Amino acid sequence: MPPRPKRPCNYPGCAELTTDRFCEPHAKKQQRQYDKQRGAASSRGYDAAWRKVRHSILSAEPLCRRCQAKDKIEPAVLVHHKDRDTSNNTYDNLEPLCTACHELEHKK
């Protein structure tokens, strides 16, 4: 497969050619702006209490629940809120997932 052709950076006024959306200096700047807008993890509901809950879920169930259902063995690294409410930390609402399964869930 031939390499992707280079095109101008999407940052306003930048003519640097790149294979990504932004050239390297502007990609870093865009990421910093995104992080600033998104806020800290604690402001999004992921505080010390969440870290304890997360640790207990991953300790009790160290494998990805969805992969196990498909007879695959993958370590769980994330705990997913089924109802997407970060304040609802009941055991029934939480599901240990691998990165791939978690990304699939959030692409829906």
Side-chain angles (χ1 to χ4, degrees):
M1 181 183 269
R4 286 178 70 182
K6 290 189 173 190
R7 60 184 190 183
C9 171
N10 282 353
Y11 195 82
C14 181
E16 182 78 26
L17 295 178
T18 181
T19 55
D20 295 323
R21 289 185 62 211
F22 297 98
C23 63
E24 194 171 324
H26 290 130
K28 290 178 183 175
K29 186 174 186 175
Q30 288 296 112
Q31 185 63 46
R32 284 194 304 268
Q33 286 175 345
Y34 172 75
D35 291 343
K36 190 182 257 186
Q37 290 169 350
R38 189 171 182 217
S42 59
S43 69
R44 296 189 322 264
Y46 300 109
D47 54 5
W50 163 249
R51 288 191 293 274
K52 284 183 181 180
V53 169
R54 179 185 179 278
H55 179 73
S56 66
I57 295 288
L58 291 176
S59 295
E61 235 180 304
L63 298 177
C64 174
R65 195 178 285 172
R66 294 186 186 177
C67 286
Q68 279 184 312
K70 299 175 196 170
D71 293 327
K72 289 172 37 179
I73 297 176
E74 285 292 326
V77 292
L78 300 164
V79 177
H80 174 67
H81 288 89
K82 292 178 189 177
D83 68 358
R84 299 190 184 212
D85 177 8
T86 59
S87 64
N88 182 1
N89 291 332
T90 60
Y91 185 79
D92 294 343
N93 185 46
L94 300 174
E95 173 178 40
L97 297 177
C98 65
T99 305
C101 289
H102 193 255
E103 286 178 0
L104 280 174
E105 177 63 31
H106 283 276
K107 283 185 180 177
K108 291 181 181 177

